[in-house]
Short mmCIF file of all heavy atoms in Angstrom, two decimals:
data_model
loop_
_atom_site.label_atom_id
_atom_site.label_comp_id
_atom_site.label_asym_id
_atom_site.label_seq_id
_atom_site.Cartn_x
_atom_site.Cartn_y
_atom_site.Cartn_z
N ALA Z 1193 114.96 103.72 115.41
CA ALA Z 1193 114.79 102.47 116.19
C ALA Z 1193 115.15 101.20 115.37
O ALA Z 1193 115.42 100.14 116.00
CB ALA Z 1193 113.42 102.31 116.73
N LEU Z 1195 117.49 101.16 112.80
CA LEU Z 1195 118.71 101.35 112.00
C LEU Z 1195 119.64 100.16 112.04
O LEU Z 1195 120.11 99.81 110.92
CB LEU Z 1195 119.41 102.68 112.46
CG LEU Z 1195 120.48 103.16 111.51
CD1 LEU Z 1195 119.89 103.45 110.14
CD2 LEU Z 1195 121.07 104.44 112.11
N GLN Z 1203 122.87 93.82 104.52
CA GLN Z 1203 124.04 92.95 104.27
C GLN Z 1203 123.55 91.49 104.08
O GLN Z 1203 123.91 90.78 103.13
CB GLN Z 1203 124.96 93.04 105.48
CG GLN Z 1203 126.27 92.24 105.31
CD GLN Z 1203 126.10 90.80 105.64
OE1 GLN Z 1203 125.31 90.37 106.56
NE2 GLN Z 1203 126.85 89.90 105.03
N GLY Z 1206 121.29 90.96 100.97
CA GLY Z 1206 122.11 91.19 99.79
C GLY Z 1206 122.95 90.02 99.44
O GLY Z 1206 123.09 89.64 98.28
N TYR Z 1210 119.25 89.25 97.00
CA TYR Z 1210 118.27 90.31 96.89
C TYR Z 1210 119.04 91.64 96.49
O TYR Z 1210 120.11 91.83 97.05
CB TYR Z 1210 117.48 90.48 98.13
CG TYR Z 1210 116.58 89.38 98.45
CD1 TYR Z 1210 116.98 88.38 99.39
CD2 TYR Z 1210 115.32 89.30 97.91
CE1 TYR Z 1210 116.09 87.33 99.69
CE2 TYR Z 1210 114.46 88.25 98.20
CZ TYR Z 1210 114.84 87.30 99.10
OH TYR Z 1210 114.00 86.23 99.35
N ASP Z 1221 119.90 109.14 114.27
CA ASP Z 1221 119.43 110.41 114.78
C ASP Z 1221 118.04 110.19 115.50
O ASP Z 1221 117.08 109.93 114.83
CB ASP Z 1221 119.17 111.40 113.63
CG ASP Z 1221 118.59 112.73 114.03
OD1 ASP Z 1221 118.40 112.97 115.32
OD2 ASP Z 1221 118.45 113.61 113.18
N PHE Z 1229 111.39 108.65 104.71
CA PHE Z 1229 112.07 107.42 104.38
C PHE Z 1229 111.10 106.31 103.95
O PHE Z 1229 111.34 105.62 102.87
CB PHE Z 1229 112.93 106.91 105.58
CG PHE Z 1229 113.92 107.88 106.15
CD1 PHE Z 1229 113.93 108.15 107.50
CD2 PHE Z 1229 114.78 108.64 105.36
CE1 PHE Z 1229 114.75 109.07 108.10
CE2 PHE Z 1229 115.69 109.54 105.88
CZ PHE Z 1229 115.65 109.77 107.28
N LEU Z 1235 107.02 104.43 97.49
CA LEU Z 1235 106.94 104.96 96.20
C LEU Z 1235 107.76 104.12 95.22
O LEU Z 1235 107.40 103.88 94.06
CB LEU Z 1235 107.26 106.44 96.14
CG LEU Z 1235 106.32 107.37 96.76
CD1 LEU Z 1235 106.95 108.76 96.98
CD2 LEU Z 1235 105.04 107.50 95.91
N ALA Z 1243 106.57 99.13 86.51
CA ALA Z 1243 107.54 98.89 85.44
C ALA Z 1243 107.80 97.43 85.14
O ALA Z 1243 108.66 97.14 84.28
CB ALA Z 1243 108.83 99.61 85.73
N GLY Z 1244 107.15 96.55 85.86
CA GLY Z 1244 107.34 95.14 85.68
C GLY Z 1244 108.48 94.55 86.47
O GLY Z 1244 108.95 93.37 86.17
N GLU Z 1246 110.18 92.89 89.65
CA GLU Z 1246 109.75 92.23 90.85
C GLU Z 1246 110.35 92.89 92.13
O GLU Z 1246 111.59 93.01 92.21
CB GLU Z 1246 110.24 90.77 90.86
CG GLU Z 1246 109.74 89.94 91.99
CD GLU Z 1246 110.25 88.50 91.99
OE1 GLU Z 1246 111.26 88.23 91.19
OE2 GLU Z 1246 109.70 87.68 92.68
N ALA Z 1274 103.97 92.58 110.42
CA ALA Z 1274 104.13 91.16 110.72
C ALA Z 1274 104.88 91.03 112.01
O ALA Z 1274 105.87 91.71 112.32
CB ALA Z 1274 104.91 90.50 109.61
N ASN Z 1276 105.10 87.58 113.49
CA ASN Z 1276 105.56 86.21 113.54
C ASN Z 1276 105.57 85.64 112.12
O ASN Z 1276 105.21 86.33 111.16
CB ASN Z 1276 104.72 85.37 114.48
CG ASN Z 1276 103.27 85.28 114.04
OD1 ASN Z 1276 102.88 85.38 112.89
ND2 ASN Z 1276 102.35 85.13 115.09
N THR Z 1279 101.98 85.55 110.33
CA THR Z 1279 101.45 86.82 109.84
C THR Z 1279 102.24 87.33 108.67
O THR Z 1279 101.68 87.97 107.74
CB THR Z 1279 101.41 87.92 110.95
OG1 THR Z 1279 102.69 88.10 111.42
CG2 THR Z 1279 100.42 87.51 112.03
N ARG Z 1281 103.74 85.32 106.32
CA ARG Z 1281 103.35 84.51 105.18
C ARG Z 1281 101.95 84.85 104.72
O ARG Z 1281 101.66 84.99 103.48
CB ARG Z 1281 103.47 83.03 105.50
CG ARG Z 1281 104.89 82.56 105.71
CD ARG Z 1281 104.93 81.04 106.00
NE ARG Z 1281 106.24 80.61 106.31
CZ ARG Z 1281 106.60 80.15 107.45
NH1 ARG Z 1281 105.71 79.93 108.41
NH2 ARG Z 1281 107.84 79.77 107.63
N LEU Z 1282 101.04 85.05 105.65
CA LEU Z 1282 99.64 85.33 105.28
C LEU Z 1282 99.48 86.69 104.63
O LEU Z 1282 98.60 86.92 103.77
CB LEU Z 1282 98.72 85.21 106.48
CG LEU Z 1282 98.51 83.75 106.93
CD1 LEU Z 1282 97.79 83.72 108.32
CD2 LEU Z 1282 97.70 82.97 105.88
N ALA Z 1289 100.48 91.57 100.06
CA ALA Z 1289 101.10 92.69 100.67
C ALA Z 1289 102.38 92.94 99.88
O ALA Z 1289 103.07 91.97 99.58
CB ALA Z 1289 101.40 92.57 102.08
N ARG Z 1297 112.30 96.75 117.82
CA ARG Z 1297 112.38 96.61 119.29
C ARG Z 1297 111.50 95.47 119.81
O ARG Z 1297 111.46 95.24 121.01
CB ARG Z 1297 112.08 97.91 119.99
CG ARG Z 1297 113.03 99.06 119.74
CD ARG Z 1297 112.65 100.34 120.47
NE ARG Z 1297 113.64 101.32 120.27
CZ ARG Z 1297 113.43 102.56 120.33
NH1 ARG Z 1297 112.22 103.04 120.64
NH2 ARG Z 1297 114.41 103.45 120.13
N HIS Z 1299 111.59 92.23 118.44
CA HIS Z 1299 112.20 90.93 118.09
C HIS Z 1299 113.72 90.98 118.14
O HIS Z 1299 114.34 92.03 118.03
CB HIS Z 1299 111.83 90.65 116.58
CG HIS Z 1299 110.41 90.70 116.21
ND1 HIS Z 1299 109.46 89.80 116.61
CD2 HIS Z 1299 109.68 91.75 115.69
CE1 HIS Z 1299 108.29 90.14 116.19
NE2 HIS Z 1299 108.39 91.39 115.63
N GLU Z 1309 112.38 87.16 105.95
CA GLU Z 1309 112.61 86.18 104.95
C GLU Z 1309 111.31 85.41 104.55
O GLU Z 1309 111.12 85.05 103.39
CB GLU Z 1309 113.73 85.22 105.40
CG GLU Z 1309 115.12 85.84 105.38
CD GLU Z 1309 116.13 84.93 105.94
OE1 GLU Z 1309 115.89 84.00 106.70
OE2 GLU Z 1309 117.32 85.12 105.45
N ASN Z 1318 96.85 84.08 94.56
CA ASN Z 1318 96.01 84.40 93.34
C ASN Z 1318 94.65 83.68 93.51
O ASN Z 1318 93.90 83.52 92.52
CB ASN Z 1318 96.64 83.97 92.05
CG ASN Z 1318 97.60 85.05 91.60
OD1 ASN Z 1318 97.26 86.19 91.43
ND2 ASN Z 1318 98.86 84.67 91.44
N ALA Z 1319 94.20 83.31 94.73
CA ALA Z 1319 92.92 82.77 94.88
C ALA Z 1319 91.86 83.80 94.55
O ALA Z 1319 91.98 85.01 94.83
CB ALA Z 1319 92.73 82.33 96.41
N GLU Z 1337 84.88 105.25 96.29
CA GLU Z 1337 83.54 104.59 96.43
C GLU Z 1337 83.76 103.21 97.02
O GLU Z 1337 84.72 102.47 96.61
CB GLU Z 1337 82.92 104.49 95.06
CG GLU Z 1337 82.56 105.78 94.49
CD GLU Z 1337 81.77 105.66 93.16
OE1 GLU Z 1337 81.09 104.70 92.95
OE2 GLU Z 1337 82.00 106.51 92.31
#
Side-chain angles (χ1 to χ4, degrees):
L1195 191 59
Q1203 185 279 326
Y1210 291 98
D1221 177 0
F1229 306 130
L1235 287 167
E1246 185 181 18
N1276 61 29
T1279 57
R1281 289 182 187 118
L1282 289 169
R1297 292 182 176 156
H1299 309 281
E1309 286 179 332
N1318 279 303
E1337 293 182 33

